[in-house]
Amino acid sequence: MKAIDHILSKTGLSKDDLVYLLETRDRNERATLFSCARSTMLEHCGNNVGLRGIIELSNRCGKNCFYCGIRAGNLEVERYTLDDRHVVAAARHALEQGFGSVVIQSGERHDRAFTSHITGLLKQVKKLGCGALGITLSCGEQTEEVYREWLDAGAHRYLLRIEASNRKLYERLHPADSNHSYDRRVDALMTLQRLGYQTGTGVMIGLPYQTTSDLAGDLLFMKDLNIDMVGMGPYIPHPDTPLSQPAASIQSPEERLELSLRMIALLRIMMKNINIAASTALQALDPMGRVKAVAAGANVFMPNITPVGEACKYRLYEGKPLFDDMAVATLAGFEKNINKLGLDVAYHAWSDSRHYRERMHPAKNTES
Ligand code: SAH
Ligand code: SF4
């Protein structure tokens, strides 16, 4: 029996197994890994790929993550916050194009003006089509009260990447101050889960100082947390950030792409019915990056629908794809490519994570 067949026949993958599959150079083993992930996705998620439009609400951020282009310390960035009417227009447009969900993403702020702004926006977007759009938020760490207020206003999914689950690595990626705390990030994830959000996390892949053992640890972290959705993708250096400085060694784009696809495939095998996004950052490395992610087991596609003028200011990293008037053309191209894989885009659907439904209503859902 080949090593991979033995590993995949086990009920749970160990850290050593994961490191082996992240590192193997054997072409047959690589093909077996992706084919196992694809059939797992078909069996446990069906052949529909969920669709969400991302709206980048604001690039104002109070934090200073060392990797991020819109960190507070980057004085080169022109800051913006979208008008409500632009956000609502983008969401309405998405609804008319058949999107069943939107994601509202933003830099992290804690002031009342910001948190109330989000609450008001949620209520407006929720009214469109009488609640037709599912809403995911990705606005960083907030208090339990704020998360509850946003849940009550209509958000039902929340994305908060742990970024790197190894505490030591996390601490190398963030300033050592009270504004950037590993423990608070983990607590925030648990709070979201407890409040009843469909909870998503994720990591960056190919970071300086990161080892394959760290990545294997990330997969086990997500499994331990029993997370409902994951958005993870390659780290893309941004020139105006401390982490992109030459002292930090960065793997080649090909290596970061390959590792990202293997991470998706392994997570699909480990957590069969969660939602896994084909992250936007993949596209910065390869025009077919998101299609390859779906072929590796991702089941959610999230094109950017931020109104044009502002999208170019929301530069988390270099080469980030801009709006997608393009969103429509991008979607059409993506759809054609996934059709070739025997998959369809799920229009007019929230495409909730089956894992979440099972977690909340174990008796009604029997899928594993
Ligand atoms: N402020 C919120 C949401 C916006 S940032 C938050 O931090 O949670 C969204 C994601 O962009 C982050 O979670 C991070 O993983 C990703 N990101 C930031 N800089 C990046 C880079 N240089 N390469 C790849 N992803 C990056
Ligand atoms: Fe702000 Fe998020 Fe960027 Fe960190 S990753 S600087 S919290 S926008």
Side-chain angles (χ1 to χ4, degrees):
M1 199 184 209
K2 278 196 291 181
I4 188 163
D5 295 326
H6 173 65
I7 293 173
L8 295 178
S9 68
K10 295 187 187 177
T11 40
L13 300 186
S14 69
K15 196 165 188 178
D16 285 348
D17 295 333
L18 295 169
V19 169
Y20 178 85
L21 293 175
L22 287 169
E23 288 182 351
T24 179
R25 296 286 155 210
D26 184 300
R27 293 168 77 91
N28 291 332
E29 289 196 326
R30 178 184 187 275
T32 306
L33 171 65
F34 288 125
S35 128
C36 176
R38 242 190 338 268
S39 50
T40 305
M41 172 176 135
L42 279 176
E43 185 182 340
H44 294 273
C45 305
N47 64 347
N48 280 328
V49 173
L51 183 60
R52 329 228 180 283
I54 302 189
I55 301 171
E56 295 161 338
L57 176 71
S58 172
N59 65 357
R60 294 180 208 279
C61 185
K63 291 177 86 170
N64 250 321
C65 309
F66 291 147
Y67 42 83
C68 179
I70 62 171
R71 64 199 297 271
N74 184 2
L75 304 179
E76 303 299 315
V77 180
E78 195 189 327
R79 304 286 166 174
Y80 75 89
T81 300
L82 293 179
D83 284 350
D84 283 12
R85 66 197 162 90
H86 285 133
V87 177
V88 174
R92 185 181 295 114
H93 185 62
L95 183 61
E96 285 162 4
Q97 300 295 321
F99 285 67
S101 275
V102 291
V103 182
I104 299 177
Q105 194 176 66
S106 164
E108 182 174 315
R109 282 171 50 188
H110 304 125
D111 52 285
R112 193 65 202 153
F114 175 75
T115 58
S116 303
H117 179 200
I118 300 283
T119 305
L121 255 183
L122 288 167
K123 289 182 179 161
Q124 292 179 65
V125 172
K126 208 65 218 167
K127 276 196 200 138
L128 296 173
C130 303
L133 282 174
I135 310 178
T136 308
L137 279 181
S138 176
C139 301
E141 294 154 39
Q142 303 288 342
T143 61
E144 177 165 341
E145 291 65 40
V146 169
Y147 283 151
R148 199 190 301 277
E149 181 175 311
W150 290 349
L151 189 67
D152 292 344
H156 68 122
R157 293 189 283 244
Y158 205 102
L159 273 176
L160 185 75
R161 286 181 170 184
I162 187 66
E163 316 293 3
S165 69
N166 177 331
R167 180 191 294 270
K168 289 224 161 57
L169 179 56
Y170 184 93
E171 287 171 357
R172 291 183 90 162
L173 306 175
H174 299 93
D177 61 27
S178 59
N179 215 7
H180 302 81
S181 151
Y182 178 85
D183 288 328
R184 208 181 40 234
R185 201 136 182 112
V186 175
D187 284 351
L189 278 168
M190 304 224 264
T191 303
L192 288 163
Q193 247 177 352
R194 182 161 40 78
L195 291 177
Y197 275 97
Q198 228 171 112
T199 308
T201 193
V203 293
M204 283 173 286
I205 299 162
L207 286 159
Y209 321 117
Q210 189 181 48
T211 62
T212 36
S213 170
D214 290 331
L215 289 170
D218 290 337
L219 294 170
L220 293 169
F221 172 91
M222 295 182 230
K223 173 101 179 147
D224 280 353
L225 214 63
N226 199 20
I227 213 76
D228 302 307
M229 349 180 266
V230 168
M232 58 182 170
Y235 162 64
I236 318 273
H238 186 295
D240 301 326
T241 58
L243 204 66
S244 75
Q245 296 314 302
S249 64
I250 296 162
Q251 289 171 302
S252 72
E254 293 74 24
E255 278 166 313
R256 280 177 281 140
L257 176 67
E258 177 65 17
L259 268 181
S260 301
L261 297 176
R262 289 190 192 203
M263 286 286 284
I264 290 172
L266 285 167
L267 188 65
R268 172 59 68 211
I269 292 165
M270 292 167 73
M271 301 190 76
K272 302 185 185 327
N273 58 358
I274 63 168
N275 275 352
I276 304 181
S279 83
T280 319
L282 286 161
Q283 205 74 3
L285 295 186
D286 178 344
M288 290 291 281
R290 289 184 282 194
V291 175
K292 288 180 180 172
V294 169
N299 67 328
V300 174
F301 179 57
M302 310 204 294
N304 191 346
I305 58 164
T306 309
V308 182
E310 308 302 349
C312 55
K313 297 179 197 154
Y314 196 91
R315 281 285 168 105
L316 299 165
Y317 47 81
E318 271 293 84
K320 185 167 175 293
L322 297 184
F323 182 81
D324 291 278
D325 179 25
M326 300 192 5
V328 178
T330 307
L331 178 55
F334 173 81
E335 186 168 22
K336 218 165 105 195
N337 282 309
I338 66 158
N339 286 161
K340 290 184 202 152
L341 299 170
L343 302 167
D344 293 313
V345 171
Y347 288 102
H348 305 287
W350 284 15
S351 301
D352 282 338
S353 149
R354 290 191 185 181
H355 180 271
Y356 172 76
R357 294 209 304 262
E358 184 187 314
R359 182 163 71 78
M360 300 307 276
H361 306 288
K364 284 194 214 148
N365 291 277
T366 51
E367 280 157 341
S368 60

